[in-house]
């Protein structure tokens, strides 16, 4: 939780180095404190291998990933999973239950139906909005309650037709995984970023924490002022942001964002531009930011209050953007 942060540190020897690459259809970067003679290429290769391993397990775009194999498995089959994939799915199902299905990792069929998944893309020629019958079919394949887990055998039951999509949690998990890799290797002071999700550990050489600005939505679709940057110190903390501006498409003058409410089967339309969540674990911040975005401002603030989530909500209004802080975030800042 936000108050469970690393103890205060002092200035450390060395300078800030940066390495980076690509993964999961996006980019990654790591800032780390080391002396001027540090050999970075081996470390960069280790980080890339770590990220490639997460992608090989949890990608819905790779037909040979462990998750893709589960999604193709016959109805009624129990499927063994690698430890990381099983753990992330189990965590995602807990968030789904906690959020009342606002976040649901089994919504892959709905993601595909709206043109945000591998089978068909909203940018493809001839793309049409899903017909009511298509949405009904996709919703019939959705439901976190349908997945059964066997922790002892590290297996998950494919009930038939369920397409799990871990996109809203895998990047956060990858951030945590890289941070653990660095800490285990003696790199105690670092800032890890994957696709905009961040986790900071330790401090910079001057002894200050890793200060970052919470991601602000762009003034598109009719304009409006960009939200004022809110700075947070990632000293043993992570931050993840979900927003309606990251991906989407316009059809017949109507905008459809990539954030789909599994409870309705349709993209959200309540005007919540973004939600940023600060949490000890980036995987949790990633999943919770998605859940709160789906809920909308009123339901989301109430949920954040019940579960002590540190969250920044940015709402679109006719006059521009409005910021709303959960109680836990206000206390943290």
């Amino acid at each position: 939780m936000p108050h469970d942060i690393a103890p205060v540190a002092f200035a450390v020897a060395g300078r800030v180095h940066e390495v980076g690459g690509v993964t999961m259809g996006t980019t990654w970067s790591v800032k780390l404190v080391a002396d001027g003679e540090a050999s970075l290429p081996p470390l960069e290769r280790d980080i890339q291998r770590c990220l490639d391993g997460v992608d090989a397990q949890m990608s819905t775009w790779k037909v040979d990933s462990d998750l893709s194999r589960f999604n193709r498995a016959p109805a009624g089959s129990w499927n063994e999973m690698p430890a990381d994939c099983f753990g992330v799915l189990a965590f995602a199902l807990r968030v789904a239950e906690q959020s009342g299905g606002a976040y649901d990792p089994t919504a892959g069929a709905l993601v595909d139906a709206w043109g945000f998944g591998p089978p068909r893309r909203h940018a493809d020629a001839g793309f049409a909005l899903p017909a009511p019958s298509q949405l009904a079919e996709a919703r019939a394949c959705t439901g976190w309650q349908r997945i059964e887990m066997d922790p002892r055998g590290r297996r998950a039951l494919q009930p038939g037709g369920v397409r799990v999509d871990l996109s809203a949690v895998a990047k956060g998990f990858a951030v945590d995984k890289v941070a653990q890799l660095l800490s285990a290797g003696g790199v105690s002071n670092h800032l890890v970023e994957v696709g905009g999700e961040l986790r900071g550990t330790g401090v910079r050489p001057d002894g200050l924490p890793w200060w970052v600005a919470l991601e602000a939505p762009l003034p598109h679709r009719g304009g409006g002022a960009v939200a004022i940057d809110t700075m947070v110190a990632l000293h043993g903390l992570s931050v993840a942001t979900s927003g309606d501006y990251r991906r989407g498409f316009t059809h017949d003058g109507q905008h459809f964002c990539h954030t789909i409410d599994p409870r309705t089967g349709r993209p959200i339309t309540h005007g919540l531009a973004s939600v940023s969540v600060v949490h000890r674990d980036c995987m949790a911040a990633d999943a919770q930011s998605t859940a709160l975005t789906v809920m909308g401002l009123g339901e989301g603030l109430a949920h954040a209050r019940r579960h002590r989530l540190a969250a920044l909500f940015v709402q679109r209004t006719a006059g521009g953007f409005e910021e709303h802080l959960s109680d836990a975030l206000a206390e943290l800042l």
Side-chain angles (χ1 to χ4, degrees):
M1 300 309 297
H3 293 293
D4 184 15
I5 62 176
V8 175
F10 300 95
V12 294
R15 63 183 180 87
V16 176
H17 302 261
E18 185 168 2
V19 294
V22 295
T23 187
M24 303 181 189
T26 186
T27 60
W28 67 268
S29 67
V30 170
K31 294 180 180 179
L32 59 100
V33 179
D35 61 47
E37 304 302 319
S39 178
L40 298 180
L43 180 61
E44 188 171 13
R45 288 193 293 271
D46 288 344
I47 295 171
Q48 189 67 60
R49 278 195 294 269
C50 176
L51 293 168
D52 290 345
V54 175
D55 200 28
Q57 290 189 33
M58 304 178 205
S59 173
T60 56
W61 296 83
K62 297 181 183 298
V63 296
D64 59 344
S65 73
D66 295 284
L67 188 60
S68 292
R69 284 194 288 270
F70 173 80
N71 288 342
R72 294 193 303 269
S77 63
W78 283 94
N79 300 268
E80 187 175 348
M81 290 182 167
D84 284 348
C85 192
F86 183 87
V88 171
L89 176 57
F91 173 79
L93 292 172
R94 290 197 296 272
V95 176
E97 180 178 17
Q98 181 191 75
S99 67
Y103 166 70
D104 189 339
T106 71
L110 289 168
V111 172
D112 294 343
W114 285 99
F116 295 110
R120 68 176 194 142
R121 303 293 293 157
H122 58 78
D124 294 343
F127 174 80
L129 297 181
S133 59
Q134 290 177 285
L135 287 182
E137 183 179 345
R139 293 186 70 184
C141 297
T142 302
W144 61 268
Q145 304 95 327
R146 301 181 65 203
I147 302 289
E148 295 183 37
M149 305 289 281
D150 171 22
R152 179 171 295 183
R154 212 169 63 210
R155 304 181 304 163
L157 175 69
Q158 169 57 269
V162 169
R163 295 208 284 279
V164 173
D165 187 333
L166 297 175
S167 299
V169 67
K171 289 200 304 294
F173 172 79
V175 169
D176 292 332
K177 189 82 170 176
V178 170
Q180 293 163 9
L181 171 73
L182 293 170
S183 294
V187 183
S188 304
N189 304 286
H190 54 259
L191 177 68
V192 180
E193 179 266 337
V194 177
E197 324 299 21
L198 298 132
R199 175 169 174 164
T201 302
V203 294
R204 299 172 58 88
D206 56 10
L208 292 177
W210 302 97
W211 284 96
V212 300
L214 298 187
E215 191 173 305
L218 300 173
H220 72 319
R221 304 202 325 267
V226 176
I228 299 172
D229 286 344
T230 299
M231 302 291 293
V232 294
L234 298 186
H235 185 51
L237 291 173
S238 303
V239 62
T241 299
S242 295
D244 70 354
Y245 55 92
R246 284 191 162 185
R247 285 189 295 141
F249 64 93
T250 301
H251 182 85
D252 289 341
Q254 183 178 359
H255 184 79
F256 297 88
C257 75
H258 77 284
T259 303
I260 296 170
D261 187 341
R263 303 169 299 182
T264 66
R266 303 183 64 85
I268 59 172
T269 58
H270 47 54
L272 189 56
S274 72
V275 177
S276 296
V277 172
V278 180
H279 198 281
R280 181 186 59 207
D281 301 316
C282 198
M283 177 171 65
D286 204 0
Q288 295 289 0
S289 66
T290 299
L292 296 176
T293 298
V294 168
M295 291 177 185
L297 182 59
E299 184 185 357
L301 275 171
H303 183 80
R305 188 177 302 114
R306 283 194 302 273
H307 297 281
R308 296 291 299 159
L309 298 174
L312 170 69
F313 298 76
V314 180
Q315 182 77 22
R316 293 183 187 277
T317 71
F321 293 112
E322 291 181 354
E323 292 185 335
H324 302 265
L325 278 66
S326 69
D327 296 340
L329 182 61
E331 293 171 9
L332 180 64
L333 298 179

